[in-house]
Amino acid sequence: MAPPSQCFDAMHSAANNGAAPAVADAKPQCPTVLDADVFRRQGHGVIDFIAEYYGGMGDYPVHPSVTPGFLRNVLPAEAPSRPEPDAFGSALRDVRDLILPGMTHWQSPRHFAHFPASSSTVGALGEALIAGINVVPFTWAASPAATELEMVVVDWLGKALHLPESLLFAGGGGGTLLGTSCEAILCALVAARDKKLAEIGERRIGDLVVYCSDQTHFAFRKAARIAGIPRDHCRAIHTCREDMFALSPTELQAAMQADVDAGLVPLFLCATVGTTQTTAVDPIGKLCTVAASHGVWVHVDAAYTGSALVCPEFRHVIDGVEAVDSFSMNAHKWLLANNDCCAMWVKRPSELVAALGTEQEYILKDAASKGHDVVDYKDWTMTLTRRFRALKMWLVLRCYGVDGLRDHIRSHVRMAEAFEDMVRADERFEVVTDRQFALVCFRLRSPERFGGEKTANELNRGLLEEVNAVGPGPYMSSANVGGVYMLRCAVGSTLTEEHHVADAWKVVQDRASVILRKMEIIYSVLG
């Protein structure tokens, strides 16, 4: 559907050119919905708008103070039947005045609450190119260049991340670009399910069991339900602080053997490199050894920390990855690719195609591909309609280079290390889990006179509320692992600089001092 202003401009330009007035009962026409001049004018306006947004990011509080209904109550209940004059410009003003003030600004340099949704100018312009060209590369024939660029890009990216050749097209495997890790996990799980059922019989789907740790992202449990795995057949294995909340191969072996003894069938393991709460790293090699003895498919979810693999110093966190069946990471989290861009690699693409492939209709066939082993990406995922994400990832890799991406990752790691050092230097605080990437998990110690460990969690809940209540920021989040409530400071915004990290720590210290003084007063009165 045309943007309203395009219809408005088209109708009025006709009148200005002396065209005959429209007949009263004639249907309004929008012949210039892809008018190059209109697009150029409006496009310049959008680019200027975004540039001003980036430049003025510091003027926005990271997290808005709004209540449900704040926007719905000021916008009309129905869409307009006719465009207003300068509808596009008016809409941009509403974005500025109504929508942006109610947003959590993920690109803010003071956003430390979540793993980043990293942005770059090249990534944003790549998105514009994707939207403007607007192809649908579900088969090779539907857009040959899009398919082949995707094949090139996933091999480029896989090599940059130091993945084994067995996961790349160059080594007999292959990759694709999806929307999110949730999609990647589900695709791998469905492929594993169908492969196993082909061996044991489809009637035994109720006997299949899948495994993860209690730190694995909930997307895995959701994927398991969608794939038809009984809810009580998803084993979330307990982790402990002593092991840095990593999945224990010994515990995994015990769980799988118990299921085998009960007549069940181990199917799938989702190992994580960089869990959401604390960036725990599961020992991939040892877990693969356990899984192999039971014929279990191993998928590695490296949604956040997969980006860090561009740096050779982090390659050790995936030791043993040669034995996995599939691997995924989100380039949109920390590799400047803008939402959305999840890369998934599989060792045996034929198993994905067997589970997710469709019989091509005549209309999808192309004489040029006859006799060639082409990739039809519709057979690698759930959807037929797909986005041309490879163009964006290709631009990011070309314009920043692998060395540039390494510099980007390392700068955030250095800032997180500096924050960690500041926490350790204040004896009132402790770092709960050793920092491995750019996430620092920390908490305020509760003095014994205030109840010690018994009150520590409530004390830190109050601290987080105080920190996030500070007008301009910072904005942080929490985790509760092993019964320990902690604050999370995730450094990753493209705009974050050292002074933002130092300012965030000062806010934490100041708010902690206020809380401790209040508790001193309360306990002195009670005492």
Side-chain angles (χ1 to χ4, degrees), residues 177-206:
L177 297 176
L178 309 172
T180 69
S181 289
C182 306
E183 294 176 57
I185 293 170
L186 180 57
C187 290
L189 182 53
V190 169
R193 179 200 66 190
D194 283 13
K195 178 185 177 184
K196 183 66 70 174
L197 292 178
E199 299 170 3
I200 65 175
E202 293 188 1
R203 293 183 179 181
R204 296 196 64 189
I205 188 172

Side-chain angles (χ1 to χ4, degrees), residues 161-246:
L161 300 180
H162 302 93
L163 295 183
E165 193 172 73
S166 59
L167 288 173
L168 311 181
F169 282 110
T176 185
L177 297 176
L178 309 172
T180 69
S181 289
C182 306
E183 294 176 57
I185 293 170
L186 180 57
C187 290
L189 182 53
V190 169
R193 179 200 66 190
D194 283 13
K195 178 185 177 184
K196 183 66 70 174
L197 292 178
E199 299 170 3
I200 65 175
E202 293 188 1
R203 293 183 179 181
R204 296 196 64 189
I205 188 172
D207 293 333
L208 300 178
V209 186
V210 297
Y211 305 84
C212 62
S213 86
D214 58 6
Q215 301 303 303
T216 302
H217 196 277
F218 63 80
F220 175 60
R221 295 167 182 79
K222 183 174 183 177
R225 293 200 300 271
I226 295 172
I229 307 301
R231 287 175 183 262
D232 60 350
H233 282 194
C234 185
R235 307 281 185 257
I237 298 170
H238 177 70
T239 59
C240 60
R241 188 174 179 180
E242 292 72 23
D243 292 333
M244 296 296 293
F245 303 108

Side-chain angles (χ1 to χ4, degrees), residues 480-523:
N480 194 331
V481 185
V484 177
Y485 184 96
M486 63 194 83
L487 279 69
R488 298 172 72 259
C489 177
V491 181
S493 170
T494 308
L495 296 172
T496 299
E497 299 177 1
E498 292 178 3
H499 68 90
H500 297 114
V501 174
D503 291 346
W505 174 238
K506 189 176 187 306
V507 170
V508 172
Q509 285 184 306
D510 291 347
R511 293 298 89 196
S513 296
V514 169
I515 289 176
L516 292 175
R517 281 198 297 269
K518 288 179 180 178
M519 293 189 72
E520 287 281 5
I521 295 171
I522 292 172
Y523 274 81

Side-chain angles (χ1 to χ4, degrees), residues 21-44:
V23 180
D25 60 352
K27 293 182 180 179
Q29 300 295 312
C30 297
T32 56
V33 293
L34 288 180
D35 182 273
D37 291 332
V38 172
F39 178 71
R40 183 176 290 109
R41 174 172 55 81
Q42 294 178 341
H44 282 305

Side-chain angles (χ1 to χ4, degrees), residues 262-277:
L264 301 176
V265 181
L267 170 68
F268 191 96
L269 167 65
C270 184
T272 306
V273 176
T275 58
T276 299
Q277 296 206 84

Side-chain angles (χ1 to χ4, degrees), residues 64-389:
S65 298
V66 295
T67 55
F70 79 96
L71 184 61
R72 297 179 66 190
N73 291 336
V74 298
L75 293 179
E78 297 179 359
S81 59
R82 291 287 186 273
E84 61 190 292
D86 188 27
F88 194 83
S90 178
L92 278 184
R93 288 190 289 274
D94 282 349
V95 173
R96 181 195 64 201
D97 299 336
L98 302 179
I99 296 175
L100 287 184
M103 299 286 287
T104 295
H105 298 279
W106 283 68
Q107 306 312 316
S108 170
R110 300 187 301 274
H111 189 300
F112 302 103
H114 307 103
F115 291 144
S118 67
S119 273
S120 65
T121 53
V122 169
L125 293 173
E127 279 291 316
L129 274 173
I130 293 168
I133 297 173
N134 203 33
V135 298
V136 187
F138 54 91
T139 63
W140 180 89
S143 191
T147 295
E148 296 196 14
L149 184 64
E150 186 162 344
M151 296 173 70
V152 169
V153 164
V154 290
D155 267 14
W156 276 15
L157 182 57
K159 291 174 183 177
L161 300 180
H162 302 93
L163 295 183
E165 193 172 73
S166 59
L167 288 173
L168 311 181
F169 282 110
T176 185
L177 297 176
L178 309 172
T180 69
S181 289
C182 306
E183 294 176 57
I185 293 170
L186 180 57
C187 290
L189 182 53
V190 169
R193 179 200 66 190
D194 283 13
K195 178 185 177 184
K196 183 66 70 174
L197 292 178
E199 299 170 3
I200 65 175
E202 293 188 1
R203 293 183 179 181
R204 296 196 64 189
I205 188 172
D207 293 333
L208 300 178
V209 186
V210 297
Y211 305 84
C212 62
S213 86
D214 58 6
Q215 301 303 303
T216 302
H217 196 277
F218 63 80
F220 175 60
R221 295 167 182 79
K222 183 174 183 177
R225 293 200 300 271
I226 295 172
I229 307 301
R231 287 175 183 262
D232 60 350
H233 282 194
C234 185
R235 307 281 185 257
I237 298 170
H238 177 70
T239 59
C240 60
R241 188 174 179 180
E242 292 72 23
D243 292 333
M244 296 296 293
F245 303 108
L247 176 57
S248 163
T250 302
E251 295 293 329
L252 177 65
Q253 169 60 29
M256 287 185 175
Q257 190 58 54
D259 286 328
V260 171
D261 294 342
L264 301 176
V265 181
L267 170 68
F268 191 96
L269 167 65
C270 184
T272 306
V273 176
T275 58
T276 299
Q277 296 206 84
T278 65
T279 62
V281 173
D282 293 339
I284 296 174
K286 294 178 180 178
L287 294 173
C288 285
T289 299
V290 172
S293 64
H294 295 284
V296 166
W297 181 298
V298 179
H299 176 80
V300 173
D301 173 19
Y304 162 62
T305 54
S307 298
L309 297 176
V310 296
C311 304
E313 61 266 31
F314 291 118
R315 173 58 177 77
H316 68 278
V317 301
I318 57 169
D319 283 349
V321 71
E322 294 79 11
V324 307
D325 298 282
S326 52
F327 184 100
S328 63
M329 57 79 66
N330 287 343
H332 62 249
K333 269 191 163 53
W334 203 8
L335 217 57
L336 300 178
N338 290 47
N339 278 325
D340 52 19
C341 189
C342 169
M344 177 181 70
W345 293 267
V346 291
K347 186 175 289 183
R348 294 172 296 277
S350 61
E351 293 174 351
L352 269 186
V353 175
L356 300 168
T358 60
E359 290 296 327
Q360 283 198 353
E361 298 292 337
Y362 179 77
I363 194 173
L364 302 182
K365 295 183 178 180
D366 186 271
S369 64
K370 187 176 181 180
H372 297 274
D373 187 19
V374 299
V375 169
D376 289 333
Y377 273 123
K378 72 178 179 61
D379 297 334
W380 289 51
T381 184
M382 295 89 67
T383 63
L384 296 182
T385 300
R386 332 175 51 248
R387 302 182 66 238
F388 187 14
R389 298 181 182 92

